[in-house]
Amino acid sequence: MSYEIDWVVEHLHQIPHFNFSFLLANSTFDPGSLSYRESIIFLALLPLCWCILVLIITSICLCVQCHKKKPKQKTRTTCLRLITAVFIILSIGGLAVAFYGNEESNKGIQSTVDAIQDTNETVEEALSTLNTLVHLANNVATSGVSDLQTAFNNYLINYTVKTIVSQYVNEIRSAATQVQVDINGISGNTAEVSFDYIADFTGTIEFYRWIGTIVLCSWQVLVLLVYIVGNLKKSKCWLVWAIIFGFVSLLLVWAAAGVYLGGSVAVSDFCYDPKSYVISQGDSPVAKGIIQAYIECTNKRDPQNFSQAIEDAIARVSSANITLTKAINLTLPFNISAKIEKPVRYIRDQLSYTQSNITSLSDAVFCQHIHGNYIKALNGICTRALVGVTLILVVLPIMGICLIFIQCFAPRIWLLLGTRKGYDPVDVTDPFLPRPPPYNGYGSMGHDEARTSLHDSSLMDSPRADIHNEPHPGTPLSESPPPSYYAGSFVDQYNNLRPSSSIMGTFPTRASQIN
């Protein structure tokens, strides 16, 4: 497993870095350098400056549209609304890509955080094992050996055997002390190693980035929906709100583009040469050497001679066990096994625990596992996460440009939708035109106030009074019948359908009028 620089890293790393003095800065990742920090902030401010310029221009265009003289005739807005719809569709497609890139970035960063946490757990486990080994070796060298020496002195009568056994006991003490020295040598070089702050910082930054991108994209969806409703309903009110929200969206989109530009360039600078920066985080030459040994892992079994110290400790534990066996065998003829059983069992248990912990430590200090986590972390942030961030970085300017066009077209649509058709000069003698108010009830069968009851007494008393009254040819007729209609047909129908009665009068028919 190895790490290879991705093409995205190479292209982003080649972006020129200028500080606030407009001088070219070194592109090597170095957040501690003021010039480098200024160059990243400078890149992040470029889209924001462009956004401010665009907002000023679009505001001027909106003011010009608002003060423009409205056309006398209503103009169709279909073409403008279709063009706006095209840009809305492009923006929606960009939002889909942004959501995908956001999730990919989150998964990549989460993979990096998991690798860092796994490495930290390995280191903490190794440090805990080292502390346990130091404690065990100290127990053997002090209380265990002292109790055994006391038992031999109390229950051994033979002076020669007592002298030999005392030498064996001193050898056990010396072996335990040497094990303690070996373990302290490993612990002294790694006692301050911890990756908790790296994992916590990375996870916190990623959470705010992920949730912020989701909120931004959701806001853009809301704004685009307002634009869609305004275009479909041809609503002036909806378009006004869409224009207001659009200005906020422009500011947010280009500000986010600046943040992503500066952040992606900084990450690419780190990914271009991650080894140099990681090694530089060591506090001392020894710590830097240990970090380099683990991230390079050229000697998989012996980084920084840890395995040699471990092998020496194992050998000394075995030697202590052998020496203890010799001492016990030497005292067998004196029948003191029951007297020395307790200290012997204690030393045996402590040496057994020490050997098992040293074996566990030997698996932890080998560089394969930590080196694998290092490669996993780099691939997560420099390949998967950076590609997702780059997708968002490409999509945001596209969305910003689409919003610029939408903001330019929306005021024009709003202006055209706000026009009303005026009154044109007409011929007042045209009988088919609506009549002025004084004649609203004349000749109309549809208005209750204009109807004349067939049972009106005046109509009964003078049936012929109004039949020959014809409207003046110059008077316009509102809702009047066509010219082929004549009033006598209604009278004929009434005479034919009315009930017979001697009381009610009879309307003269058209024929009687002619006669």
Side-chain angles (χ1 to χ4, degrees):
M1 183 184 296
S2 61
Y3 168 70
E4 295 181 359
I5 299 176
D6 197 70
W7 64 272
V8 177
V9 174
E10 293 182 352
H11 283 79
L12 291 175
H13 180 69
Q14 292 174 358
I15 295 177
H17 295 55
F18 291 95
N19 56 23
F20 292 162
S21 300
F22 299 98
L23 299 176
L24 192 64
N26 191 355
S27 60
T28 302
F29 184 74
D30 185 13
S33 172
L34 177 61
S35 179
Y36 180 80
R37 292 200 303 268
E38 288 181 354
S39 66
I40 297 300
I41 297 174
F42 183 86
L43 288 174
L45 290 177
L46 288 178
L48 189 60
C49 295
W50 163 254
C51 173
I52 294 174
L53 179 62
V54 168
L55 287 176
I56 293 174
I57 295 175
T58 52
S59 300
I60 294 174
C61 292
L62 180 61
C63 293
V64 171
Q65 291 291 337
C66 291
H67 290 83
K68 209 173 203 181
K69 187 177 180 182
K70 295 182 179 181
K72 291 184 178 181
Q73 303 220 354
K74 196 171 184 178
T75 308
R76 296 175 62 90
T77 60
T78 304
C79 183
L80 286 176
R81 289 189 293 113
L82 286 177
I83 296 174
T84 305
V86 170
F87 286 109
I88 292 175
I89 293 173
L90 289 177
S91 299
I92 293 175
L95 285 173
V97 176
F99 276 114
Y100 171 77
N102 188 47
E103 292 302 316
E104 284 295 301
S105 301
N106 182 257
K107 291 178 181 178
I109 297 296
Q110 190 60 47
S111 175
T112 300
V113 172
D114 291 341
I116 296 174
Q117 289 177 345
D118 190 15
T119 301
N120 193 59
E121 290 175 1
T122 301
V123 173
E124 288 180 351
E125 181 181 354
L127 293 175
S128 176
T129 304
L130 288 172
N131 293 331
T132 302
L133 286 171
V134 171
H135 180 69
L136 292 173
N138 184 65
N139 290 341
V140 173
T142 55
S143 60
V145 174
S146 298
D147 292 342
L148 183 62
Q149 183 70 52
T150 302
F152 284 148
N153 291 334
N154 293 334
Y155 300 108
L156 275 177
I157 301 174
N158 191 310
Y159 180 77
T160 303
V161 174
K162 184 184 294 187
T163 302
I164 297 173
V165 169
S166 296
Q167 292 177 356
Y168 287 156
V169 171
N170 290 330
E171 289 180 7
I172 296 173
R173 180 184 287 110
S174 177
T177 303
Q178 288 298 321
V179 169
Q180 188 176 1
V181 171
D182 292 335
I183 299 305
N184 282 330
I186 300 174
S187 179
N189 293 330
T190 58
E192 301 299 327
V193 177
S194 177
F195 301 99
D196 276 337
Y197 73 98
I198 299 177
D200 293 341
F201 178 77
T202 305
T204 302
I205 294 298
E206 170 56 21
F207 172 76
Y208 286 114
R209 185 209 64 81
W210 177 74
I211 196 69
T213 304
I214 290 180
V215 170
L216 174 64
C217 293
S218 301
W219 167 260
Q220 298 304 319
V221 170
L222 175 63
V223 174
L224 293 177
L225 286 177
V226 175
Y227 270 115
I228 291 173
V229 173
N231 276 338
L232 291 179
K233 295 183 66 174
K234 299 181 182 180
S235 172
K236 188 175 180 182
C237 178
W238 281 91
L239 284 177
V240 169
W241 281 110
I243 292 171
I244 295 173
F245 291 158
F247 279 108
V248 179
S249 296
L250 273 177
L251 183 62
L252 293 177
V253 165
W254 287 106
V259 173
Y260 271 97
L261 177 61
S264 60
V265 171
V267 173
S268 67
D269 293 338
F270 165 78
C271 296
Y272 192 79
D273 186 17
K275 183 175 70 174
S276 298
Y277 178 74
V278 173
I279 294 175
S280 67
Q281 297 308 297
D283 296 332
S284 63
V286 175
K288 291 181 180 179
I290 294 173
I291 294 174
Q292 182 176 0
Y294 275 95
I295 64 176
E296 293 179 352
C297 199
T298 53
N299 187 355
K300 292 182 172 50
R301 291 193 56 81
D302 193 14
Q304 289 298 300
N305 296 321
F306 285 165
S307 63
Q308 185 62 44
I310 291 173
E311 290 175 1
D312 292 342
I314 293 175
R316 290 187 174 94
V317 170
S318 299
S319 176
N321 271 315
I322 294 171
T323 304
L324 180 61
T325 302
K326 289 179 180 180
I328 294 172
N329 292 333
L330 190 61
T331 60
L332 288 177
F334 299 96
N335 296 323
I336 62 171
S337 298
K339 305 294 183 181
I340 63 173
E341 181 181 1
K342 184 177 180 180
V344 168
R345 182 179 297 174
Y346 178 79
I347 294 175
R348 290 283 193 194
D349 291 342
Q350 295 297 307
L351 291 176
S352 177
Y353 293 155
T354 301
Q355 187 169 9
S356 62
N357 278 276
I358 292 174
T359 304
S360 175
L361 180 64
S362 65
D363 296 333
V365 299
F366 290 156
C367 67
Q368 291 181 349
H369 183 65
I370 295 178
H371 178 72
N373 283 333
Y374 170 74
I375 299 299
K376 179 182 177 182
L378 288 182
N379 287 331
I381 193 172
C382 298
T383 302
R384 190 171 189 178
L386 189 59
V387 170
V389 170
T390 304
L391 286 176
I392 301 176
L393 179 61
V394 172
V395 165
L396 287 177
I398 295 176
M399 290 177 54
I401 293 174
C402 291
L403 282 174
I404 290 173
F405 282 104
I406 293 173
Q407 286 294 101
C408 291
F409 290 134
R412 182 61 182 172
I413 298 174
W414 171 81
L415 179 67
L416 296 178
L417 290 178
T419 59
R420 293 291 183 267
K421 187 175 180 180
Y423 290 99
D424 295 330
V426 296
D427 183 9
V428 296
T429 62
D430 190 343
F432 296 101
L433 289 176
R435 293 183 303 164
Y439 304 95
N440 278 343
Y442 182 84
S444 174
M445 300 296 296
H447 299 283
D448 294 338
E449 68 273 13
R451 294 179 182 174
T452 303
S453 174
L454 296 177
H455 299 282
D456 190 285
S457 59
S458 61
L459 183 62
M460 296 297 180
D461 296 339
S462 182
R464 298 175 182 268
D466 294 331
I467 292 179
H468 295 285
N469 292 339
E470 297 291 337
H472 191 275
T475 303
L477 299 176
S478 175
E479 302 178 4
S480 59
S484 60
Y485 176 84
Y486 57 93
S489 61
F490 173 74
V491 178
D492 292 339
Q493 293 176 6
Y494 178 78
N495 288 333
N496 293 332
L497 297 177
R498 69 180 179 83
S500 299
S501 175
S502 59
I503 300 175
M504 298 180 63
T506 302
F507 282 104
T509 62
R510 187 67 176 174
S512 63
Q513 293 179 13
I514 295 175
N515 294 333

